[in-house]
Amino acid sequence: MDAALFAFRNPFSRGAILADEVGLGKTIEAGLLLSQHWAERKRKLIIILPANLRKQWSQELADKVHLPSAILESRTFNEAIRAGNLNPFVQPGIVLCSFQFARSKEPYIRQVAWDLVVIDEAHRLRNVYKTSSRIALAIKNAVAPFPKILLTATPLQNSLLELYGLVSIIDDYAFGDLNSFRARFSRLSSDADFSELKERLKPICKGQRDAREKLLDNFDQEVVEKVRVQSSDVLDRFNRRLWLMTRHVLADYADFVDATYSFQLRDNPFPGETIHPGPYRLGKPFAVIVTADEV
């Protein structure tokens, strides 16, 4: 609810990025925004999203907020044209379409005065600042004049420029041009730099755990190290369980060295098949580390 109120707070806002973690209700938050617009009879609404989420969104809109929707794809688009609708994006319900379809029908989308545009999995458009990102650029240009809500659980993955890209979909002037952003924020070397960037994000980003903090966590070396260690621990536990299972299955056929997660076959566990005796070591999931005569 707080995130939905955040998006409504400034009537002159160009939009917002809702950057909650997976499972914390971004769909519900967007549903509240759509419901509010619908109640105000602002019903030119579109959701642009991955193709595999279209039916899920349509069902959730019907079940959770009782709003009608129409999935636009090539078949339904052409049917609407044949029925006399010269712009099938004009619908009595909320329009749902994929990223690829939005790109292919960019001129039609431009012609509708949208009351609200929702972009789910918006991180897929994060490289919009690159001229090679044709789908992202087409969508950005198609919905540029209209208020937008971007939903994403992973607003940053590789570069701080991805933050620039996402924010530019909401407001092209929030950070100035790409060169200005690079010059000011490419090196966040002090607390003052972080603080300035957080302040610039305040009108645009929101999440259950403050999205501004989450965006910048990606460049906190302590967090990076913590994630690396946790990932290593998970892999170690997985390997240990896989090793114990291997020992159990091959107990009558091999000699094992626990310290190196390796084993040497002394008998063939698969009669009728030709295999190497090893030794084997836990890897991908196992790799032969010495080629020997076949058992």
Side-chain angles (χ1 to χ4, degrees):
M1 179 65 75
D2 183 54
L5 291 173
F6 169 84
F8 275 127
R9 183 179 59 192
N10 183 354
F12 300 104
S13 171
R14 295 173 179 266
I17 300 172
L18 302 185
D20 291 338
E21 304 285 357
V22 173
L24 289 185
K26 293 185 297 298
T27 304
I28 296 299
E29 292 163 359
L32 292 172
L33 295 170
L34 293 165
S35 294
Q36 180 66 30
H37 279 73
W38 194 268
E40 295 174 358
R41 306 196 70 80
K42 298 175 181 177
R43 298 183 175 179
K44 292 179 180 177
L45 308 169
I46 184 171
I47 304 173
I48 304 174
L49 70 174
N52 64 318
L53 297 180
R54 292 172 302 178
K55 290 185 179 179
Q56 177 184 329
W57 262 90
S58 181
Q59 191 65 47
E60 292 195 1
L61 287 172
D63 293 345
K64 296 180 179 178
V65 288
H66 309 291
L67 293 178
S69 62
I71 296 175
L72 274 191
E73 53 191 359
S74 295
R75 180 183 59 81
T76 53
F77 184 91
N78 292 332
E79 287 175 354
I81 291 286
R82 287 193 294 269
N85 183 352
L86 298 182
N87 188 347
F89 280 88
V90 178
Q91 293 283 339
I94 299 169
V95 175
L96 299 165
C97 75
S98 70
F99 294 130
Q100 292 80 2
F101 193 77
R103 179 207 173 185
S104 69
K105 303 300 181 186
E106 177 189 350
Y108 291 90
I109 294 176
R110 285 175 179 268
Q111 293 171 18
V112 181
W114 299 105
D115 295 309
L116 182 65
V117 177
V118 176
I119 302 178
D120 195 14
E121 300 283 318
H123 50 274
R124 300 193 183 196
L125 308 182
R126 64 187 180 276
N127 290 323
V128 66
Y129 64 92
K130 299 179 179 179
T131 55
S132 58
S133 298
R134 296 181 181 179
I135 292 178
L137 280 168
I139 293 173
K140 175 184 176 180
N141 293 333
V143 302
F146 314 118
K148 292 167 284 288
I149 298 296
L150 274 56
L151 309 179
T152 176
T154 53
L156 281 180
Q157 294 184 4
N158 300 306
S159 166
L160 195 58
L161 293 179
E162 295 171 0
L163 170 60
Y164 172 84
L166 285 178
V167 171
S168 73
I169 295 174
I170 298 292
D171 185 351
D172 245 338
Y173 303 100
F175 287 120
D177 62 18
L178 181 59
N179 289 333
S180 298
F181 182 84
R182 278 193 173 121
R184 182 64 192 87
F185 297 113
S186 61
R187 295 182 180 179
L188 296 177
S189 56
S190 69
D191 290 341
D193 292 338
F194 275 95
S195 297
E196 180 181 348
L197 186 52
K198 291 175 188 177
E199 287 300 313
R200 299 282 286 273
L201 288 170
K202 274 185 178 179
I204 297 173
C205 296
K206 182 66 178 179
Q208 297 286 5
R209 179 174 76 80
D210 195 322
R212 298 177 295 277
E213 299 290 343
K214 185 174 73 173
L215 287 167
L216 298 175
D217 275 350
N218 293 268
F219 299 89
D220 186 321
Q221 292 305 309
E222 291 182 4
V223 172
V224 171
E225 177 65 16
K226 182 178 179 182
V227 170
R228 186 192 67 78
V229 171
Q230 288 177 344
S231 298
S232 177
D233 288 345
V234 169
L235 183 59
D236 286 345
R237 291 198 300 272
F238 172 79
N239 283 340
R240 181 62 183 168
R241 291 188 180 185
L242 184 57
W243 176 246
L244 292 175
M245 181 178 68
T246 302
R247 287 205 55 152
H248 175 73
V249 172
L250 298 178
D252 296 331
Y253 302 94
D255 297 315
F256 301 90
V257 180
D258 288 333
T260 57
Y261 286 170
S262 60
F263 65 91
Q264 173 89 37
L265 290 175
R266 61 174 185 270
D267 197 4
N268 189 344
F270 308 108
E273 297 185 20
T274 301
I275 62 172
H276 291 288
Y280 290 82
R281 182 172 59 209
L282 191 60
K284 300 180 180 179
F286 292 100
V288 181
I289 53 178
V290 175
T291 301
D293 295 334
E294 297 170 343
V295 175

